[in-house]
């Protein structure tokens, strides 16, 4: 008589099952951490927007669109001959801005409108040339004699239209705490770059209210931030005892830093000569207000604000010397992003362990 195989079913003890579950959980956590590390490494090398960008051309050159070769900055002659104005898209105190076309590429042509402000215009051009990087709008050409600057076109425009852009169906998927925090990191990265630029410590003076700040920056099609207007960018040189003043008129309101306000009370009329100068920590004071705009009111944004509370409170210290540096703020923002991504990827892991 043929003998049938006999299968023995093994019963695992609760302790063995528990140990196996913990081991599998630990392996899962390690794998998720590895994926998170790879993601954040890619994020910091691309979205983190390092100052040196291998896709940029050598000084005095640019490339546009899908073109692989670098072209020299366009001269007066080339701009007059090859650039065609399409329409006026903006006008400020210093210049008028035209959407234009160059070799089937949309570009932006800026022209001085007030001769009394030509020094501001030329200062902006000088800064634009010297600070070319992934943080700054791309310069395509200029003509000093005609007070004309040619730059890359970004169809999403300035940051003033950010919320409207995120309400467009095409971009609604970008309207998350994660993407908004990335924009705040971009902004702080730019401030950090200006404070440690190749030219020295530069202060973003065109920033007396939130709307003015937002108008100085562009939103690129891949949702990065670029600084666009560098007309008011004075230099701080502590070793030489050189501080700055943002303009020659009285500044008011809670948005500007305390040291930018007239310190002698209402009974004494404002006099520019008596106004004490200040340093780059005025930019730090404004970071919480600008970041609050970026974070908006989407799901999860209040959690981000909670994690940033301490660093933002430090930014609002009345004594400028007690405020953190832009680098310290940037480090904190990145740590918060890493923490929240990890928590989103592994909800409840801590309790399970």
């Amino acid at each position: 008589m043929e003998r049938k195989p006999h299968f023995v079913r093994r019963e695992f003890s609760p302790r063995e099952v528990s140990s196996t579950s913990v081991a599998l959980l630990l392996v899962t956590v390690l794998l998720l951490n590895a994926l998170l590390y790879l993601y954040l490494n890619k994020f910091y090398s691309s979205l983190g927007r390092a100052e040196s960008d291998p896709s940029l051309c050598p000084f005095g050159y640019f490339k546009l669109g899908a073109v692989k070769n670098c072209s020299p900055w366009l001269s007066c002659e080339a701009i007059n001959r090859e650039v065609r104005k399409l329409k006026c898209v903006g006008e400020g105190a210093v210049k008028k801005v035209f959407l234009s076309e160059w070799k089937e590429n949309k570009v932006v042509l800026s022209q001085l409108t007030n001769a009394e402000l030509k020094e501001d215009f030329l200062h902006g051009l000088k800064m634009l040339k010297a600070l070319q990087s992934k943080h700054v709008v791309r310069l395509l050409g200029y003509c000093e004699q005609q007070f004309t600057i040619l730059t890359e076109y970004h169809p999403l425009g300035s940051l003033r239209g950010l919320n409207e852009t995120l309400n467009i169906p095409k971009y609604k998927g970008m309207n998350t705490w994660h993407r908004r925090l990335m924009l705040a990191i971009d902004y702080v990265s730019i401030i950090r770059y200006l404070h440690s630029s190749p030219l020295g410590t530069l202060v973003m003076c065109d920033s007396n209210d939130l709307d003015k700040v937002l108008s100085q920056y562009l939103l690129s099609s891949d949702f990065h931030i670029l600084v666009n207007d560098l007309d008011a960018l004075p230099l701080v040189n502590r070793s030489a005892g050189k501080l700055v003043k943002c303009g020659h008129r009285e500044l008011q309101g809670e948005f500007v830093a305390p040291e930018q306000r007239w310190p002698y009370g209402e009974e004494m009329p404002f006099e520019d000569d008596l106004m004490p100068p200040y340093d780059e920590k005025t930019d730090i004071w404004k970071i919480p207000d600008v970041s609050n705009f970026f974070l908006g009111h989407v799901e999860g944004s209040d959690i981000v604000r909670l994690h940033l509370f301490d660093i933002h409170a430090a930014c609002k210290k009345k004594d400028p010397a007690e405020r953190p540096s832009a680098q310290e703020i940037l480090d904190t923002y990145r740590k918060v992003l890493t923490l929240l991504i990890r928590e989103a990827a592994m909800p409840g892991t801590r309790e399970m362990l």
Side-chain angles (χ1 to χ4, degrees):
M1 188 173 178
E2 187 178 353
R3 195 173 178 181
K4 292 183 180 180
H6 181 62
F7 295 98
V8 178
R9 182 180 177 185
R10 184 186 172 196
E11 296 291 339
F12 290 92
S13 68
R15 179 177 294 179
E16 288 178 300
V17 172
S18 178
S19 299
T20 303
S21 299
V22 170
L24 288 172
L25 180 60
L26 286 172
V27 170
T28 303
V29 169
L30 289 172
L31 286 172
L32 286 170
N33 271 308
L35 290 171
L36 181 63
Y37 171 80
L38 291 172
Y39 169 79
L40 290 172
N41 189 52
K42 182 180 179 183
F43 165 70
Y44 290 139
S45 63
S46 58
L47 185 70
R49 311 185 63 70
E51 283 73 38
S52 57
D53 176 16
S55 70
L56 290 175
C57 296
F59 183 79
Y61 290 78
F62 73 93
K63 57 183 175 182
L64 200 58
V67 178
K68 293 183 178 180
N69 297 326
C70 294
S71 303
W73 286 337
L74 301 185
S75 63
C76 297
E77 182 185 357
I79 291 173
N80 291 333
R81 185 180 65 249
E82 301 172 13
V83 176
R84 181 170 65 94
K85 290 181 185 177
L86 299 177
K87 63 177 179 178
C88 178
V89 291
E91 183 173 2
V94 179
K95 52 187 177 284
K96 186 177 286 188
V97 180
F98 297 90
L99 174 63
S100 305
E101 191 175 56
W102 175 74
K103 294 187 176 180
E104 299 183 353
N105 292 292
K106 284 188 171 65
V107 294
V108 173
L109 188 72
S110 301
Q111 291 184 317
L112 178 69
T113 54
N114 186 345
E116 294 180 1
L117 298 175
K118 66 180 181 181
E119 293 303 320
D120 291 340
F121 184 91
L122 293 175
H123 177 74
L125 173 58
K126 177 185 174 182
M127 295 293 106
L128 195 55
K129 289 192 290 184
L131 298 175
Q132 283 295 288
S133 67
K134 290 206 68 171
H135 299 295
V136 179
V137 69
R138 190 168 302 171
L139 179 64
L140 309 179
Y142 63 92
C143 179
E144 285 193 37
Q145 297 93 313
Q146 298 173 8
F147 297 99
T148 298
I149 300 173
L150 193 71
T151 54
E152 189 175 17
Y153 172 63
H154 293 278
L156 296 182
S158 81
L159 289 177
R160 284 190 295 190
L162 175 63
N163 289 324
E164 288 75 12
T165 297
L166 290 171
N167 280 325
I168 297 172
K170 179 181 177 180
Y171 298 112
K172 278 193 174 180
M174 298 284 196
N175 196 15
T176 63
W177 71 262
H178 177 246
R179 179 61 64 172
R180 283 176 171 272
L181 180 54
M182 286 178 170
L183 291 175
I185 289 174
D186 254 7
Y187 170 71
V188 177
S189 296
I190 292 173
I191 299 299
R192 188 276 311 267
Y193 175 62
L194 294 178
H195 288 184
S196 57
S197 82
L199 301 176
T201 302
L202 299 167
V203 181
M204 194 66 175
C205 266
D206 261 344
S207 56
N208 298 335
D209 56 62
L210 179 61
D211 191 65
K212 187 63 175 176
V213 170
L214 298 175
S215 71
Q216 309 302 303
Y217 298 87
L218 296 172
L219 181 65
S220 68
S221 297
D222 57 352
F223 270 70
H224 288 316
I225 295 176
L226 300 165
V227 61
N228 179 54
D229 196 330
L230 303 173
D231 293 346
L233 210 61
L235 178 69
V236 169
N237 188 341
R238 281 195 187 81
S239 59
K242 182 181 179 183
L243 300 177
V244 304
K245 287 194 287 187
C246 291
H248 303 287
R249 61 183 180 85
E250 183 177 2
L251 300 179
Q252 296 177 324
E254 292 298 314
F255 188 82
V256 297
E259 64 271 23
Q260 291 184 282
R261 302 173 211 151
W262 179 242
Y264 302 118
E266 295 181 1
E267 62 279 359
M268 185 173 179
F270 176 82
E271 287 187 42
D272 184 43
D273 291 341
L274 298 179
M275 180 67 198
Y278 34 83
D279 62 18
E280 77 281 0
K281 290 299 184 75
T282 58
D283 289 334
I284 301 300
W285 171 274
K286 299 161 189 172
I287 284 176
D289 299 291
V290 181
S291 289
N292 187 54
F293 168 81
F294 286 132
L295 292 174
H297 299 285
V298 297
E299 183 180 355
S301 62
D302 286 341
I303 299 297
V304 179
R305 286 186 180 91
L306 185 63
H307 281 81
L308 296 177
F309 180 84
D310 288 342
I311 192 69
H312 283 172
C315 292
K316 292 295 188 178
K317 295 278 189 181
K318 188 171 183 180
D319 182 355
E322 295 181 5
R323 296 173 203 155
S325 67
Q327 182 64 62
E328 290 171 319
I329 300 168
L330 181 59
D331 291 341
T332 301
Y333 276 35
R334 286 174 169 171
K335 286 176 184 175
V336 168
L337 176 65
T338 302
L339 172 67
L340 293 178
I341 289 176
R342 182 181 288 121
E343 288 183 353
M346 298 177 289
T349 301
R350 187 179 303 165
E351 288 76 7
M352 292 171 69
L353 288 172

